[in-house]
Amino acid sequence: MIRVVLVDDQALFRAGIRMLIASQPDLEVVGEAGDGREALEVVRATRPDVVLMDIRMPVMDGLEATAALLQQPDAPRIVMLTTFDLDEAAARAIRQGASGFLLKDAEPEFLLAAIRTVHAGSSVIAAAATRELFARFTDSRRPVPATYGSLTEREREIFALAARGLSNAEIAAREFLSEATVKTHISRILTKLSLRDRVQLVVFAFEHGLV
């Protein structure tokens, strides 16, 4: 059972998402909060796997709450909820370590799939949108860290494809590899670069001018 906490200042919106999640046999809403400060308390008490976090809320916004939650050693996966497809605040949250963002008007099936994807650790949510987001809001390039030099030639090829938003299946077909092999390469790349997931890989690529 995947445990989910909903954080949004609109009770009606939370109710709709709660009903959607409750309809799924493998998902469960274990808590709700109407602002960021309340979210910290609810997450501490319920220890969810995934948090759906609104960005703009009273008392404490989603950015501040996300930053606080991700400092915890057993932090849940956090998905930002936004009404704007190109949202600078969402870009900031992903830099902090959020696992991606969803539009509030996303299709129900996409939201459910996103929760499961994030929980599984793949963390590829709207990869194309994430790339476009960072293309717009990454103002300056940082020097490429020495750790990138530790990647093999094959790992760099797969890194570049993943940074462009390709799935494991798409990379496997393009590189004539099995999906299991691609998954192993991705895991090694994340470990070598000290990245949490594939969303962080996209961020790393954009911030260091590698795409």
Side-chain angles (χ1 to χ4, degrees):
M1 186 69 73
I2 302 173
R3 298 162 56 81
V4 181
V5 161
L6 308 177
V7 184
D8 193 286
D9 61 336
Q10 297 179 357
L12 191 60
F13 178 80
R14 293 201 311 270
I17 299 300
R18 183 174 66 247
M19 290 176 61
L20 173 66
I21 290 175
S23 71
Q24 304 298 302
D26 60 330
L27 304 179
E28 176 187 16
V29 174
V30 296
E32 297 182 31
D35 62 66
R37 186 173 299 166
E38 185 182 359
L40 300 183
E41 299 173 0
V42 171
V43 168
R44 194 176 299 117
T46 59
R47 303 178 70 82
D49 301 303
V50 177
V51 176
L52 299 181
M53 178 81 73
D54 189 20
I55 291 178
R56 291 163 181 83
M57 296 180 291
V59 185
M60 177 188 289
D61 65 22
L63 291 177
E64 191 175 349
T66 295
L69 288 175
L70 290 174
Q71 289 176 358
Q72 301 175 7
D74 56 347
R77 298 278 176 168
I78 300 176
V79 178
M80 310 308 294
L81 300 173
T82 177
T83 54
F84 308 105
D85 58 352
L86 292 176
D87 189 339
E88 186 171 9
R92 287 171 56 197
I94 293 171
R95 279 197 182 93
Q96 291 173 347
S99 293
F101 72 96
L102 288 171
L103 295 178
K104 285 192 170 185
D105 62 356
E107 292 293 328
E109 293 78 11
F110 185 77
L111 184 145
L112 295 171
I115 293 173
R116 296 184 177 105
T117 299
V118 164
H119 179 255
S122 297
S123 304
V124 180
I125 298 178
T130 301
R131 289 184 65 251
E132 189 174 355
L133 189 70
F134 277 87
R136 175 168 298 199
F137 294 118
T138 298
D139 299 325
S140 58
R141 304 297 187 193
R142 302 176 184 176
V144 178
T147 52
Y148 182 75
S150 68
L151 300 185
T152 65
E153 184 175 349
R154 171 62 92 182
E155 287 169 347
R156 291 190 187 196
E157 292 173 357
I158 292 175
F159 170 93
L161 295 173
R164 287 166 50 192
L166 274 67
S167 67
N168 285 357
E170 291 168 332
I171 295 173
R174 184 166 181 149
E175 296 295 305
F176 303 103
L177 299 169
S178 70
E179 283 191 53
T181 298
V182 173
K183 187 174 181 179
T184 298
H185 279 304
I186 293 290
S187 179
R188 288 176 181 164
I189 291 167
L190 296 177
T191 298
K192 287 183 178 181
L193 300 180
S194 299
L195 302 174
R196 180 173 174 175
D197 52 42
R198 290 178 64 140
V199 168
Q200 294 299 299
L201 185 152
V202 172
V203 175
F204 181 97
F206 265 96
E207 290 189 332
H208 297 98
L210 296 170
V211 286

